[in-house]
Amino acid sequence: MTGGPTPDRGTSSVTAAQRRGTVVVTTVASDSHTWNLVFLQLLIEELGYEVVNLGACVPDRVLVDTCRELAPDLVVISTVNGHGHHDGLRVIDTLRSCGELAATPVVIGGKLGIAGKQSTGSIQELITAGFDAVFDDASTSTLEFSRFVTALPVASPRRAARTEAVA
């Protein structure tokens, strides 16, 4: 991929032959935090995935274009600034309106609102909008996220080969 994000291969002990697939990790456009992304990248790599970390303040169009090119097995949106619920609704609508990404698993987590723990209704709104899972930092654990990721199907050989060729 010319001029785009590239996965950091230096931090994972998983070999290319052992990789389960590719995960894109990102924030919403309004979130400038990065420590959460580094933590998630390391965790997901330990679970056997190649990670493309887009960094902070990622515009929706950059996320969509990157996902169209990489065809990831999962998109993880993490937010710390408290605007995740609002921004997440916009981002998932943009991702789901793109035909080739309509079935890609997408999750959101972190500090999703400024009032602390999200209500059941707020979480359900994100699920109804198109997220496959919501990991509110006030009510879910890293273990629950890890279980979700490890339950994903292993990438098909065709998809894995494409991912390796792109990166």
Side-chain angles (χ1 to χ4, degrees), residues 16-81:
Q18 296 170 318
R19 286 196 189 102
R20 294 178 48 115
T22 301
V23 175
V24 170
V25 175
T26 187
T27 63
V28 292
S30 68
D31 199 323
S32 63
H33 295 89
T34 58
W35 62 265
N36 51 319
L37 301 177
V38 172
F39 173 81
L40 284 168
Q41 177 176 345
L42 294 172
L43 174 64
I44 295 166
E45 286 174 342
E46 286 300 316
L47 296 174
Y49 288 86
E50 180 174 16
V51 175
V52 177
N53 185 338
L54 297 183
C57 298
V58 176
D60 298 355
R61 181 52 36 204
V62 171
L63 175 59
V64 169
D65 290 347
T66 301
C67 289
R68 289 179 70 197
E69 186 169 342
L70 295 177
D73 300 285
L74 175 65
V75 177
V76 177
I77 301 171
S78 177
T79 182
V80 179
N81 71 357

Side-chain angles (χ1 to χ4, degrees), residues 48-158:
Y49 288 86
E50 180 174 16
V51 175
V52 177
N53 185 338
L54 297 183
C57 298
V58 176
D60 298 355
R61 181 52 36 204
V62 171
L63 175 59
V64 169
D65 290 347
T66 301
C67 289
R68 289 179 70 197
E69 186 169 342
L70 295 177
D73 300 285
L74 175 65
V75 177
V76 177
I77 301 171
S78 177
T79 182
V80 179
N81 71 357
H83 300 283
H85 184 270
H86 174 69
D87 289 349
L89 291 172
R90 183 194 68 250
V91 172
I92 196 65
D93 184 56
T94 303
L95 286 167
R96 295 299 185 219
S97 67
C98 181
E100 60 257 63
L101 301 175
T104 301
V106 181
V107 300
I108 190 167
K111 186 175 179 187
L112 300 173
I114 58 171
K117 182 178 177 179
Q118 295 290 288
S119 69
T120 303
S122 293
I123 292 172
Q124 187 56 51
E125 183 179 15
L126 291 165
I127 297 290
T128 300
F131 283 102
D132 294 278
V134 176
F135 299 95
D136 178 29
D137 70 350
S139 61
T140 57
S141 70
T142 305
L143 182 58
E144 290 170 281
F145 174 75
S146 295
R147 285 181 182 148
F148 178 89
V149 174
T150 56
L152 292 170
V154 176
S156 68
R158 181 188 66 72

